[in-house]
Amino acid sequence: MHHTPEFPRSIIIEPTNHCNLRCTYCPRRFLDNKNNGYMSMNLFHWLIEEISEHHGTTVIMFHRGESLLHPGIAKMLNYAKGKVSRIVLATNGMLLSGELGQTILNTVDFLSLSLDTKERFAATRIGGDYERIVRNMKSFLIDNQSRIETQVSMVRTDNVGDKDVREFISTWEGLVDRVRIYDEHSHDGKFGSVVKEKTIREPCSKVFTQTVVSWDGEIRRCNHDWNGNPLGNAIEDSIVDVWNGEAYKSLRKQHNSGQITDTVCVPCGSWYEGDEAGRGILVKRGVK
């Protein structure tokens, strides 16, 4: 039986669901709702002000798109800095340079770069520029001087072998704090589905600890909820009211009882027990 805190321990805020790449394994290709947009600054300010009232909540600035495409992303990060406990940002690295890179250094606590090996990049990350991304990241790391924690990650698919994984790790190990190899999910069009299903289904800790606010205010279950019916809307209600509302209570009851009927959770195999197990390969700096 999982305990539910009064307020989420982490909140994913989606600045935009626009993206400048077309990755072959990205769940975006299965979306029914093709509406794209940018979160308004008014909504973002409203969210941060509420989050600031609850100490210890991490804000993750990333969901279904490339967050650095938001024209006000620098203002967003500067506004959130000092008001929330921790800021996490993920990016594909195409725009990680110049003044924006400096803003990230001064505001973010954890930066994750999504990439592939040089040999596989052109075939998997359509529209991207491998050399530009690597140049941006290495320049960022020189300026960083360990001021913020950094990670570089890739996705392991059927076409990625052990050699690719070893090459990716060797390229970035020692340069960043963490190298992560994630297993592919949602490959069959069912969001969160994985090839290697876990044998015993436990309650997913995410519905007890994390929520997502999409660019348009829709409140979603977790990072694998790309297309489901929202549990509420932050434009109409506060996060805390939705978090403690009937829709969330019903969802948690399903997980605690093992009788899961939620249309997003049923096909998902990426349920999370709260530790690092089952989340692919993680290599930490200085840890063998």
Side-chain angles (χ1 to χ4, degrees):
M1 182 73 68
H2 281 261
H3 168 70
T4 306
E6 179 184 345
F7 198 74
R9 293 178 185 146
S10 64
I11 297 178
I12 296 173
I13 295 178
E14 179 183 75
T16 181
N17 60 349
H18 283 282
C19 194
N20 48 1
L21 300 186
R22 301 184 307 281
C23 299
T24 55
Y25 41 73
C26 180
R28 287 174 61 87
R29 65 192 188 277
F30 300 122
L31 279 172
D32 293 333
N33 186 348
K34 303 298 183 182
N35 292 333
N36 293 325
Y38 300 93
M39 180 173 285
S40 72
M41 295 301 292
N42 285 340
L43 174 57
F44 183 77
H45 289 170
W46 179 264
L47 295 173
I48 295 301
E49 289 304 315
E50 181 178 3
I51 295 169
S52 69
E53 298 174 0
H54 301 270
H55 179 72
T57 297
T58 295
V59 170
I60 303 169
M61 297 285 289
F62 167 77
H63 190 207
R64 298 170 297 181
E66 170 54 49
S67 297
L68 300 191
L69 286 173
H70 193 293
I73 188 64
K75 292 181 179 179
M76 286 177 161
L77 293 173
N78 280 313
Y79 189 83
K81 179 66 175 178
K83 292 179 178 288
V84 301
S85 298
R86 180 174 166 83
I87 300 174
V88 173
L89 176 69
T91 177
N92 59 36
M94 287 288 288
L95 303 176
L96 184 65
S97 62
E99 292 184 9
L100 185 52
Q102 290 300 313
T103 297
I104 292 169
L105 278 172
N106 293 329
T107 56
V108 170
D109 299 286
F110 182 93
L111 176 76
S112 181
L113 172 70
S114 301
L115 198 56
D116 280 319
T117 62
K118 183 176 183 179
E119 290 73 16
R120 295 196 49 76
F121 183 91
T124 57
R125 293 182 171 260
I126 312 303
D129 183 331
Y130 179 84
E131 299 296 341
R132 173 182 172 180
I133 294 169
V134 171
R135 185 169 60 249
N136 286 349
M137 186 60 177
K138 289 188 174 180
S139 177
F140 182 89
L141 292 171
I142 290 172
D143 292 340
N144 183 31
Q145 296 296 312
S146 299
R147 287 156 61 185
I148 71 173
E149 192 175 2
T150 55
Q151 170 179 289
V152 175
S153 69
M154 71 174 289
V155 176
R156 176 158 55 185
T157 67
D158 291 340
N159 298 320
V160 175
D162 291 340
K163 179 179 178 295
D164 297 299
V165 170
R166 289 194 300 268
E167 176 186 338
F168 188 81
I169 292 173
S170 65
T171 299
W172 292 102
E173 186 179 12
L175 296 178
V176 294
D177 297 294
R178 296 156 55 115
V179 180
R180 171 76 78 173
I181 313 297
Y182 289 105
D183 291 327
E184 183 184 11
H185 62 80
S186 309
H187 62 284
D188 58 357
K190 298 175 181 177
F191 296 97
S193 66
V194 292
V195 174
K196 298 178 181 178
E197 291 285 350
K198 300 173 185 178
T199 55
I200 301 176
R201 176 121 190 194
E202 301 287 344
C204 180
S205 66
K206 288 192 175 184
V207 300
F208 301 90
T209 60
Q210 183 183 90
T211 196
V212 180
V213 184
S214 300
W215 68 269
D216 54 1
E218 290 188 343
I219 295 180
R220 301 183 172 279
R221 297 152 186 78
C222 71
N223 60 304
H224 293 292
D225 182 357
W226 283 54
N227 215 35
N229 292 325
L231 301 176
N233 195 298
I235 295 174
E236 302 166 357
D237 298 294
S238 65
I239 296 172
V240 71
D241 284 346
V242 176
W243 181 249
N244 294 294
E246 292 305 315
Y248 251 121
K249 287 180 180 178
S250 173
L251 183 61
R252 295 184 189 115
K253 183 178 180 180
Q254 292 175 38
H255 278 264
N256 273 328
S257 67
Q259 303 299 314
I260 300 174
T261 59
D262 183 84
T263 55
V264 172
C265 295
V266 166
C268 180
S270 300
W271 47 273
Y272 183 43
E273 298 174 71
D275 54 27
E276 298 292 351
R279 302 188 67 214
I281 298 172
L282 172 64
V283 177
K284 295 184 179 180
R285 194 201 304 260
V287 178
K288 298 295 185 181

